[in-house]
Amino acid sequence: MRIGMIFISISLIVGALFTLMGASYALAGWLESLELFAGAGHLGAILVQMLVMVMVTATLLTLAERKWSALMQDRVGPNRARLPIPGLKDNPLAGLPHIATDVLKMLTKEAFRPKAASKFLFNLGPILAFAPVFALFAIVPAGPTVEVMGKQVMMVAANPDFGLLFLFAIASLAVYGTSLAGWASNNKFGLLGGVRASSQMVSYEVALGLSLVGMMLAFSTVKLAGPTGMTALQAPYLWSFNLLGLDVGIPRWGIFLQPLGFLLFFAAAFAETKRAPFDTPEGESEIVGYFIEYSGMQFGMFMISEFVEVVVLSGVLAAIFFGGYYLPFGNEALMGLPVMKAHPWLLGATLGTVFWLKVILLCYLQLAIRWTFPRFRYDQIQTLGWKILLPLGLANLFISGALVLWDPSLHSLALFGFVVLGVIVFLTLTPSRQVRLAKQAEEVHGGHGHGDDHSLPANTH
Amino acid sequence: MSNDATYDPTPSNEELEAHLQTRNMVLNLGPSHPATHGTVRLRLELDGETIVKMDPEIGYLHRGFQKSCENVTWMQALPYTDRLDYVASLTNNFGFLSAIEHLMGVEIPERAQYIRVVGAELHRIASHLTTAAALGLELGGFTAFLYGVEARELIIDRVTELTGARLTTNFGRIGGLNRDLPPGWAEKVLKSLVKIEELTAEVDGLLTRNRIFTDRTRGTGVITRDDALDFGFTGPCLRACGVSYDVRKATPYWVYDRLDWEVPVGMNGDNFDRYYLRILEIHQSIKMIRQALEQLPEGPVIIDDWRIVLPPKDDVYGTIEGLIAHFKVVMEGVPVPPGELYHSTESANGELGWYLRSDGSGRPYKVHVRAPGFQILSGMQRLCEGRMLADLVPTFDTINMIGGEVEQ
């Protein structure tokens, strides 16, 4: 019964993704065939991918965060809101009505503004916090370029030549919304939050940029979408063989070529999104947050922009490090299917679904991290950024550059990547010195709490 | 400028190196703030994020505990003690009763002593779990907090079965206890202890070895052994500095000397030690409860002296002696002989001392509480000044200030 429910839910999600992607391709193809202006098909991507997929995923994440955190914390999670419809009255519907109630609450609350706050900047804050985050998704390709209604359709809102540089530029704009919100509300807590946010976001820009240079070197491009973009270049195999007509192998995904780059980018981008464990600007138990004076939908904008950030970051991660919309293997077999050749939009919808599934998994990863780790201190974040991430990023850049020069086929880079992955897994699985010593002590004393001196272990410091 | 030759337009070195004129920011943390447990106002003077000066301002929860006690009989003062350390009210109840019994020279039955140990240790676990797990909450780790609260909820359920109330237990009477253990309660407690151990291990696993957590807690909120002694710290906050002082070991009361347990001691007196010490103490308390429930003797739970305890209802309604005794105990109060004494027990936060003075009437002449939290709160400045604002919040948690007992 339960397994059946889970199966049905998963098929529902996959089905919805597939339908939306199909609709997206159809819309883009139709817009392109109208020949309104060059690249009108991108409008389809903007309408469906950004306004529907990103926003709906972010909205659902508000619920998912609560449900998933409830799973991790032995709770039931939100289930109180019910629809007053006969038949559904006693069904919590997995908490879905809570989304509606949240929105209603936010919209109907008083939009309060402190008397001494700067009116213009105060109102500008949430807008500036939301807009850049949302715009980031523009360069992320959600599906392959296929032919629909006789026109080539790209499933990306924009594909500029400067690709990833757009990402860096726009990501650094997000700091304005946060620090303005903190400053303009004329509140000391808000000011502290704004200052924390600006220092943190400015210092992580460097690590953020540096961590991606390795990938740019490997594929000699800064573009994400298109046939020469990073996503498409990740599909070929490093080593592969044919298994019963299905091509199996290790693809050139960023995670294999640049595992260190992935970790650095993930950490730096996490710090940019200001979510736990990097949530000092919010720090709800310390300074309550830079948005302390905001209420109603203005506060909702900050909240939703945080969730949009999660989705966008997952999208960027999927596109750069997890092969974008490609399957790990079997791409050639899939593209070779006659039905895919006859209806290219079907191929696009299938691969687009793959992309969004990756995004959802990465969202889950981010939320799991958020609900597991405590928060850094403000100066520890700076230490991590400048003293650990930056030197590691530089080392990664030099080693990757040398390896790419030495072996342009990227095989040696991948081998190095596997070594790094192995080291990371080894370090993660090895118990720390403290745990080993504690185990030894337990063996010597024959069980917990029978030692003579019951002081804290001497090695705790 | 009459003499141009002596005029030097370049500014002097002092002028160039002078710091910008900055002012420290005064920040009111509280009285209503997520980090202030209870209601307390911390007046902070901040230089950037560094605390230059800190001034805890109490009084928002003052209820006049000591004066109220003088207007009621000794037993009627018992419910007031629930509201002192409301996280571990049984330790207050039993401590207060123990002090009165010492003043009267009454020895309570053995079974009652064991049950008092079980109750006090249960609430000690609850308090320590709240503090240790809430440290996760202060540092943004909400999950660890909820595991701790889940374990605490089990204890509160057991305490409710025993006393009838979740928070304000009002349990125990002068001379013993007002009721025996409910049937099957001991087995339920043993079952809950297994679950509590599991959940404590979860909290421990999520926090203790976490690098971010240790970075945040080690070396923050440090107080030296000498300073702690000077301020009058007791309990986990003192033991974390390396002083092995526990009232239960120093001057054993009830049956603590019959149980096999140890006093965990820390080394550095920082937040981490205060946190980890509490985790270790939870294990010791669990050990104690198991032993106490095993050794629990049969017998009465309250002494048989109608001048001190209420007679059984049958006697009240059936005999004239019972009725008179009931009337006198209720209307005049328990006759505590004139005299004064200081008696202390170990509450969850440290030495809970009672200075009682009786003039022989049924009401207290003076009740003074030495609440452990007050001394610790007064040492807060030493722990926080010169540190960062972000460290104040976990420090405020690990000293476990309970507004009820500090402000009385």
Side-chain angles (χ1 to χ4, degrees):
Chain A
M1 176 68 197
R2 240 192 126 79
I3 295 173
M5 279 300 290
I6 293 170
F7 187 73
I8 290 171
S9 319
I10 292 177
S11 352
L12 262 177
I13 293 171
V14 173
L17 288 176
F18 187 83
T19 318
L20 273 168
M21 284 311 294
S24 181
Y25 272 103
L27 181 69
W30 177 68
L31 282 169
E32 193 82 48
S33 65
L34 288 180
E35 296 190 344
L36 296 168
F37 52 88
H42 288 304
L43 276 180
I46 294 174
L47 285 175
V48 180
Q49 298 302 324
M50 293 184 69
L51 288 180
V52 177
M53 297 293 270
V54 173
M55 285 313 288
V56 167
T57 316
T59 315
L60 286 173
L61 264 190
T62 60
L63 175 68
E65 167 148 270
R66 288 188 273 169
K67 273 290 181 191
W68 285 341
S69 67
L71 265 180
M72 293 170 209
Q73 295 165 348
D74 289 354
R75 293 186 287 122
V76 182
N79 68 347
R80 293 288 99 184
R82 308 281 164 100
L83 295 177
I85 300 166
L88 288 179
K89 221 171 163 183
D90 299 323
N91 195 340
L93 291 172
L96 280 170
H98 275 268
I99 296 177
T101 53
D102 276 352
V103 173
L104 266 181
K105 181 194 79 176
M106 298 255 188
L107 285 174
T108 49
K109 262 180 140 177
E110 181 195 359
F112 175 77
R113 182 168 53 82
K115 233 180 193 167
S118 155
K119 189 181 174 190
F120 176 67
L121 294 178
F122 186 82
N123 291 332
L124 196 64
I127 301 168
L128 275 185
F130 179 76
V133 182
F134 188 57
L136 273 185
F137 198 78
I139 54 156
V140 178
T145 308
V146 292
E147 201 178 279
V148 184
M149 299 188 197
K151 300 277 179 193
Q152 288 290 325
V153 170
M154 273 182 123
M155 203 28 67
V156 61
N159 189 25
D161 291 337
F162 41 85
L164 283 175
L165 303 183
F166 171 84
L167 186 134
F168 298 144
I170 298 295
S172 54
L173 280 181
V175 68
Y176 288 108
T178 316
S179 47
L180 269 186
W183 183 79
S185 26
N186 192 36
N187 180 305
K188 287 170 182 173
F189 289 105
L191 178 68
L192 279 174
V195 171
R196 282 181 180 190
S198 52
S199 67
Q200 170 181 334
M201 289 166 88
V202 167
S203 38
Y204 272 76
E205 293 288 311
V206 188
L208 187 77
L210 210 57
S211 57
L212 285 187
V213 179
M215 283 302 283
M216 299 177 192
L217 285 178
F219 295 124
S220 9
T221 180
V222 290
K223 280 173 87 169
L224 270 181
T228 55
M230 237 175 233
T231 316
L233 290 175
Q234 285 181 63
Y237 294 108
L238 288 160
W239 299 278
S240 70
F241 56 93
N242 204 306
L243 189 82
L244 306 170
L246 190 75
D247 47 316
V248 181
I250 297 171
R252 302 200 299 183
W253 282 11
I255 180 84
F256 300 127
L257 297 178
Q258 289 279 309
L260 196 59
F262 164 71
L263 274 185
L264 297 177
F265 178 75
F266 196 35
F270 226 102
E272 288 275 313
T273 59
K274 307 184 292 295
R275 282 177 67 81
F278 297 98
D279 62 342
T280 48
E282 185 180 337
E284 77 271 353
S285 57
E286 297 162 13
I287 55 163
V288 197
Y290 55 89
F291 43 60
I292 183 167
E293 290 288 1
Y294 286 88
S295 62
M297 204 55 213
Q298 286 183 317
F299 172 74
M301 287 285 268
F302 283 115
M303 261 356 247
I304 197 73
S305 75
E306 206 169 272
F307 287 102
V308 171
E309 264 173 339
V310 172
V311 181
V312 171
L313 173 59
S314 303
V316 172
L317 277 173
I320 301 180
F321 291 102
F322 291 94
Y325 40 80
Y326 286 107
L327 288 164
F329 51 82
N331 285 317
E332 285 165 30
L334 184 74
M335 287 177 203
L337 286 179
V339 63
M340 295 291 174
K341 278 192 172 144
H343 306 285
W345 67 270
L346 210 56
L347 176 73
T350 314
L351 291 181
T353 312
V354 170
F355 173 80
W356 281 103
L357 285 178
K358 284 179 188 173
V359 168
I360 290 172
L361 284 178
L362 285 167
C363 286
Y364 180 78
L365 176 70
Q366 291 188 50
L367 292 194
I369 290 174
R370 189 234 179 287
W371 287 105
T372 312
F373 286 130
R375 181 188 312 121
F376 280 106
R377 200 171 58 208
Y378 154 79
D379 58 323
Q380 286 165 350
I381 287 188
Q382 301 288 343
T383 313
L384 179 72
W386 290 108
K387 293 190 180 163
I388 299 173
L389 293 189
L390 190 63
L392 272 180
L394 280 172
N396 181 45
L397 172 60
F398 284 122
I399 295 172
S400 315
L403 285 173
V404 170
L405 263 185
W406 184 49
D407 178 11
S409 72
L410 301 184
H411 282 108
S412 46
L413 187 64
L415 284 176
F416 176 68
F418 283 122
V419 171
V420 174
L421 269 181
V423 169
I424 292 169
V425 171
F426 175 76
L427 284 179
T428 314
L429 293 182
T430 323
S432 70
R433 203 175 121 254
Q434 299 162 6
V435 177
R436 268 181 282 131
L437 285 175
K439 263 213 185 103
Q440 274 174 14
E442 213 161 278
E443 277 158 19
V444 171
H445 290 301
H448 201 75
H450 284 278
D452 286 328
D453 59 322
H454 221 282
S455 57
L456 294 173
N459 52 309
T460 44
H461 281 256
Chain B
M1 284 305 149
S2 55
N3 192 352
D4 281 347
T6 57
Y7 176 65
D8 183 8
T10 54
S12 68
N13 264 349
E14 286 104 70
E15 262 178 89
L16 284 173
E17 284 167 7
H19 287 286
L20 284 175
Q21 284 287 318
T22 56
R23 261 186 313 158
N24 289 341
M25 179 164 85
V26 175
L27 186 69
N28 277 313
L29 210 73
S32 187
H33 183 276
T36 55
H37 303 197
T39 314
V40 63
R41 187 171 82 120
L42 304 171
R43 189 184 170 281
L44 304 173
E45 207 177 305
L46 294 176
D47 176 14
E49 289 237 355
T50 314
I51 299 169
V52 180
K53 201 165 162 292
M54 171 187 153
D55 192 10
E57 193 166 294
I58 61 171
Y60 295 93
L61 275 183
H62 183 72
R63 311 178 296 289
F65 167 77
Q66 302 189 2
K67 195 70 191 163
S68 304
C69 285
E70 292 167 20
N71 297 325
V72 293
T73 64
W74 289 95
M75 272 317 299
Q76 281 169 337
L78 187 67
Y80 295 150
T81 63
D82 297 336
R83 277 87 173 161
L84 289 176
D85 182 354
Y86 36 74
V87 185
S89 43
L90 280 178
T91 54
N92 305 325
N93 289 166
F94 295 158
F96 181 60
L97 292 172
S98 188
I100 301 174
E101 283 150 9
H102 271 77
L103 190 57
M104 296 172 72
V106 171
E107 176 83 8
I108 63 168
E110 209 172 46
R111 186 175 171 85
Q113 295 189 20
Y114 272 102
I115 296 175
R116 281 192 184 180
V117 167
V118 173
E121 293 309 314
L122 271 180
H123 254 165
R124 190 184 317 280
I125 299 174
S127 171
H128 282 0
L129 272 173
T130 316
T131 313
L135 182 57
L137 177 69
E138 307 294 11
L139 297 176
F142 201 67
T143 307
F145 173 67
L146 283 177
Y147 285 140
V149 167
E150 199 186 335
R152 176 172 165 256
E153 197 60 31
L154 285 170
I155 295 176
I156 291 183
D157 283 349
R158 298 294 86 78
V159 169
T160 313
E161 285 159 12
L162 181 66
T163 69
R166 279 171 61 85
L167 206 64
T168 50
T169 50
N170 190 21
F171 191 56
R173 295 294 178 263
I174 299 170
L177 301 168
N178 48 337
R179 74 179 85 143
D180 204 346
L181 300 185
W185 189 76
E187 289 73 41
K188 268 184 167 174
V189 170
L190 290 174
K191 250 194 202 161
S192 302
L193 285 183
V194 176
K195 183 77 183 151
I196 290 165
E197 268 182 333
E198 277 172 26
L199 288 162
T200 312
E202 293 267 13
V203 175
D204 194 16
L206 267 172
L207 296 180
T208 310
R209 312 275 176 219
N210 185 307
R211 180 63 193 269
I212 303 175
F213 178 79
T214 48
D215 278 355
R216 283 297 304 270
T217 50
R218 278 187 187 159
T220 63
V222 187
I223 188 157
T224 61
R225 182 197 159 102
D226 295 338
D227 277 348
L229 285 170
D230 284 349
F231 273 113
F233 278 30
T234 45
C237 292
L238 179 67
R239 293 195 282 275
C241 305
V243 183
S244 176
Y245 173 72
D246 190 318
V247 184
R248 291 172 293 173
K249 273 277 193 232
T251 53
Y253 50 96
W254 304 332
V255 290
Y256 277 114
D257 48 351
R258 294 187 214 170
L259 307 175
D260 169 34
W261 62 285
E262 286 129 16
V263 182
V265 174
M267 290 163 73
N268 305 287
D270 56 6
N271 282 336
F272 182 82
D273 278 15
R274 285 194 285 273
Y275 152 79
Y276 198 56
L277 194 89
R278 285 191 165 97
I279 297 277
L280 291 178
E281 283 196 7
I282 289 171
H283 290 299
Q284 293 296 329
S285 293
I286 289 174
K287 207 168 136 188
M288 269 186 253
I289 295 172
R290 288 205 171 119
Q291 291 174 40
L293 286 177
E294 203 176 290
Q295 298 174 12
L296 190 66
E298 291 298 318
V301 291
I302 194 156
I303 53 169
D304 188 25
D305 184 343
W306 289 4
R307 286 168 305 168
I308 300 170
V309 302
L310 288 176
K313 281 286 172 284
D314 285 346
D315 291 317
V316 176
Y317 295 133
T319 64
I320 188 68
E321 293 83 4
L323 187 64
I324 291 171
H326 187 274
F327 180 82
K328 282 186 73 89
V329 168
V330 170
M331 298 309 288
E332 290 175 6
V334 179
V336 177
E340 59 187 291
L341 109 163
Y342 175 82
H343 179 76
S344 64
T345 52
E346 180 83 11
S347 86
N349 285 336
E351 181 178 339
L352 179 74
W354 300 88
Y355 171 72
L356 304 181
R357 184 162 181 168
S358 171
D359 57 0
S361 69
R363 288 157 200 251
Y365 182 76
K366 172 78 188 168
V367 174
H368 174 82
V369 195
R370 181 218 180 271
F374 185 76
Q375 280 78 6
I376 298 173
L377 183 71
S378 53
M380 230 347 233
Q381 283 180 317
R382 188 63 64 90
L383 270 71
C384 286
E385 280 182 3
R387 302 278 170 172
M388 297 191 79
L389 173 63
D391 284 337
L392 166 74
V393 176
T395 308
F396 200 67
D397 176 80
T398 54
I399 68 162
N400 196 18
M401 179 219 152
I402 304 287
E405 70 170 14
V406 171
E407 305 177 11
Q408 299 174 9

